[in-house]
Amino acid sequence: MTGSDQPRRRQPAEGMDLLTLDLASAEQLVRDLGWPRYHAQQILRWVYRKRVREIGAMTDLSKSQRSRLAAIAWIGRTDTSDILHSEDGTSKFLLRLQDGLIVETVLIPDSGRLTLCLSSQVGCTFDCGFCLTGRMGLKRNLKAHEIVEQVLTVQDHLEPGQRVTNLVLMGMGEPLANLDAVGQAVTCLTNATWGLGFPARRMTLSTAGLAPRLREVAALGVNLAVSLNATTNAQRDALMPAVNRLHPLEDLMAACRDYPLPPRRRLTFEYVLLAGVNDREQDARRLAKLLNGIRCKVNLIPFNEFPGSAFRRPDDTEVLRFQSVLRQAGFDAFIRKSMGRDVLGACGQLGSLPGRPAAVAFTPVGAAT
Ligand code: SAH
């Protein structure tokens, strides 16, 4: 549903947003209403599992209960402002938040998987030179329910029988700079009693490298990906200045080595390949040395261009050569397919700049390959 066929939106001032509830606060709400406790889980089920947008649809509450609840509460679902469909099946959803800001979330079908890439901020805390989101600056942190809501909205648009198989916090923003909200969202997404019941082992959080906070990801039970992207401080300072000045490479690597990896899990290191900058054989060798002894895999991401980007995507032969150095050193190294480039839906392409709305279509160099 878009535009004029939306039901009138209630304003936040009109009461409590039921999407902000967890089990404890839902139980408090029904206690305040003088209702039996089991209504708390009923309400949460309607909101998170059945994804209703109106309290009137909660048909296992009596009519009078529904109208009492509707007098004090509402369901703050976003409007879908636009959906851009890529030739490769990827869809980029532009969701309009209550304050009018737009957040982007990307649904990526690939080899039997359906991965949803969630945003944690509008814009980003950091300024990595190869990422469009960084150029927006930070507009604001998302609230927990605004992260969860991205999942609900995309689920509303799935074909019958389609199911999201993987969730990745790799969209706009730096999740560890908004860890409280991200943690609450993960709880809601994974809790099988009252939340969405999504398995934590199928969720991955990606960080630009907030070394002191890595451990807190382990406590959430989700997988951790670290965007390394460089193998020396000089290189990392040039590419990811803000985060590397806060947490230089040696601190980041120490935190990775100390990370309490659960059995049978491994860390993921992401490495954006920028032609002539960090894609040489010596970079690959230094990367192998840096990761030596860490239980991990490496995801190589050939640079995705965006309008005005200063870097170039390496040729496939360079990418394969980089991969083979890592493989020869004994690492599992994968090349991430770039999905959704034509709708600016691939890694590093999310965001809007003044005069260039997020909904722009884009023909990247070499898009046909
Ligand atoms: N802030 C988090 C999550 C968002 S970026 C992080 O830095 O990890 C998700 C991934 O996309 C990161 O690995 C990042 O290095 C990569 N990336 C950013 N811009 C890119 C671009 N233009 N092309 C390819 N990958 C990019």
Side-chain angles (χ1 to χ4, degrees):
M1 240 185 347
T2 55
S4 57
D5 53 349
Q6 287 280 351
R8 190 183 75 87
R9 308 191 73 201
R10 302 191 61 193
Q11 295 308 308
E14 290 178 64
M16 168 192 284
D17 181 353
L18 295 182
L19 274 174
T20 62
L21 295 179
D22 60 8
L23 186 57
S25 49
E27 285 181 349
Q28 181 63 46
L29 172 68
V30 298
R31 219 174 8 252
D32 292 346
L33 287 162
W35 298 352
R37 190 163 152 195
Y38 70 89
H39 284 313
Q41 289 216 23
Q42 273 176 328
I43 292 170
L44 294 172
R45 213 171 302 128
W46 281 112
V47 172
Y48 296 124
R49 295 273 172 94
K50 301 189 185 166
R51 303 190 300 277
V52 296
R53 288 170 180 263
E54 297 295 326
I55 289 168
M58 298 182 173
T59 48
D60 55 7
L61 297 179
S62 71
K63 269 204 167 136
S64 70
Q65 282 176 320
R66 275 179 263 164
S67 55
R68 257 193 90 192
L69 188 59
I72 57 161
W74 65 305
I75 306 172
R77 296 290 304 269
T78 57
D79 291 334
T80 302
S81 137
D82 208 349
I83 308 176
L84 304 179
H85 298 285
S86 162
E87 283 175 1
D88 63 24
T90 299
S91 307
K92 175 160 102 166
F93 292 73
L94 303 171
L95 308 181
R96 187 175 299 107
L97 304 170
Q98 290 301 319
D99 57 5
L101 288 174
I102 299 280
V103 71
E104 302 181 22
T105 186
V106 185
L107 184 66
I108 311 156
D110 190 34
S111 346
R113 287 191 192 179
L114 193 55
T115 301
L116 183 60
C117 180
L118 302 173
S119 294
S120 56
Q121 299 180 316
V122 184
C124 188
T125 308
F126 295 119
D127 59 351
C128 305
F130 45 79
C131 179
L132 179 61
T133 311
R135 302 207 174 171
M136 292 173 68
L138 177 66
K139 302 284 186 240
R140 71 169 171 85
N141 281 332
L142 290 181
K143 308 215 174 72
H145 68 92
E146 292 170 328
I147 299 171
V148 173
E149 218 274 337
Q150 296 169 49
V151 181
L152 301 180
T153 296
V154 169
Q155 284 179 326
D156 281 344
H157 286 86
L158 295 179
E159 306 286 331
Q162 259 191 329
R163 210 167 40 84
V164 173
T165 59
N166 297 73
L167 286 176
V168 294
L169 274 153
M170 294 187 187
M172 299 168 89
E174 168 50 43
L176 294 192
N178 186 19
L179 192 54
D180 285 350
V182 165
Q184 287 167 33
V186 168
T187 301
C188 177
L189 291 169
T190 54
N191 189 290
T193 311
W194 60 269
L196 277 82
F198 197 90
R201 64 174 190 289
R202 290 181 168 275
M203 292 182 68
T204 302
L205 180 155
S206 177
T207 178
L210 266 74
R213 300 212 179 138
L214 296 194
R215 289 188 148 262
E216 299 179 48
V217 179
L220 296 177
V222 302
N223 300 299
L224 175 64
V226 176
S227 299
L228 203 53
N229 299 337
T231 51
T232 64
N233 272 321
Q235 218 179 32
R236 212 163 189 269
D237 277 339
L239 296 176
M240 310 172 75
V243 68
N244 203 57
R245 231 172 281 135
L246 281 174
H247 310 292
L249 200 52
E250 52 281 6
D251 294 1
L252 177 58
M253 293 317 297
C256 291
R257 288 183 186 279
D258 280 353
Y259 188 76
L261 258 181
R264 290 189 301 280
R265 298 255 192 124
R266 50 187 182 167
L267 286 177
T268 299
F269 288 95
E270 292 157 294
Y271 192 95
V272 181
L273 285 167
L274 308 165
V277 176
N278 67 353
D279 67 338
R280 296 155 303 183
E281 221 169 300
Q282 73 214 53
D283 296 302
R285 276 200 297 272
R286 241 189 341 252
L287 180 57
K289 217 162 145 191
L290 210 52
L291 302 183
N292 188 28
I294 302 180
R295 208 158 79 229
C296 67
K297 65 172 171 161
V298 181
N299 278 347
L300 300 172
I301 319 177
F303 176 65
N304 296 309
E305 298 100 349
F306 48 85
S309 58
F311 297 103
R312 232 177 19 85
R313 185 184 179 90
D315 297 336
D316 289 352
T317 48
E318 302 297 319
V319 175
L320 290 169
R321 193 186 48 154
F322 198 97
Q323 180 190 37
S324 77
V325 172
L326 291 174
R327 288 200 162 159
Q328 275 162 25
F331 290 93
D332 272 343
F334 304 94
I335 299 167
R336 185 175 296 165
K337 265 200 230 168
S338 296
M339 305 286 287
R341 281 205 288 161
D342 53 341
V343 293
L344 287 176
C347 298
Q349 294 185 314
L350 303 187
S352 60
L353 294 173
R356 200 184 287 281
V360 76
F362 176 59
T363 310
V365 180
T369 59

